[in-house]
Amino acid sequence: MLERTRARRQALQILYQREITGQDVQAILDTRTYNNEDGEPSEYSRGLALGTEVYQDAIDSEIEATSQHWSLMRMPFVDRNILRLAVYEIVYEDEMPASVAINEAVELAKAYGGDDSPKFVNGVLGRIAELRGDVVVVELDEPEASVSEGADREGA
């Protein structure tokens, strides 16, 4: 597994833990209560988790403005934190192309989210990238769904 892919997975796990336990990211890192199956979180992983936490209010506003018909609190925890992590990379990590951040987020959604999570994450992040002036095409490994399929998230 590539180092940055592993770092994103570790950061997602830390952000998820933060949301469940109410601990801040630094406390999770300091007390080493994170999942260490991938080893010690890398500096990149730590930076992603800490940066996402620092800019969470602005990130959440960006997600809320883009995910039509879906309030942030209605989203599953995993999807919400995948979106936060990717928006942090798109907006605050200058060297990170939006297409890479979106592709990595879609892969996390496939691994950790529900059946509709990859499409939902791709749709929200694609809109955010488009509004920021990035042209992004991320291919999902499944055929296009009809409007009736996944209608509960179609307004993403």
Side-chain angles (χ1 to χ4, degrees), residues 6-62:
R6 180 177 310 139
R8 286 181 188 93
R9 185 168 73 187
Q10 289 173 320
L12 174 62
Q13 290 170 348
I14 291 167
L15 292 170
Y16 181 83
Q17 180 177 341
R18 172 184 172 262
E19 188 153 1
I20 297 296
T21 66
Q23 287 183 291
D24 64 36
V25 170
Q26 192 61 57
I28 292 168
L29 293 170
D30 290 346
T31 59
R32 303 171 63 94
T33 56
Y34 48 81
N35 179 346
N36 66 356
E37 82 179 35
D38 283 334
E40 184 80 19
S42 68
E43 284 303 311
Y44 190 70
S45 176
R46 291 168 180 268
L48 289 175
L50 289 164
T52 300
E53 180 180 50
V54 166
Y55 294 105
Q56 182 175 320
D57 289 343
I59 290 168
D60 286 355
S61 293
E62 188 103 19

Side-chain angles (χ1 to χ4, degrees), residues 62-88:
E62 188 103 19
I63 294 168
E64 285 272 3
T66 312
S67 58
Q68 301 166 351
H69 311 296
W70 273 88
S71 72
L72 206 59
M73 291 301 119
R74 259 187 79 205
M75 294 175 196
F77 284 10
V78 172
D79 293 2
R80 182 167 56 229
N81 283 293
I82 290 170
L83 288 170
R84 285 174 174 157
L85 183 60
V87 170
Y88 171 75

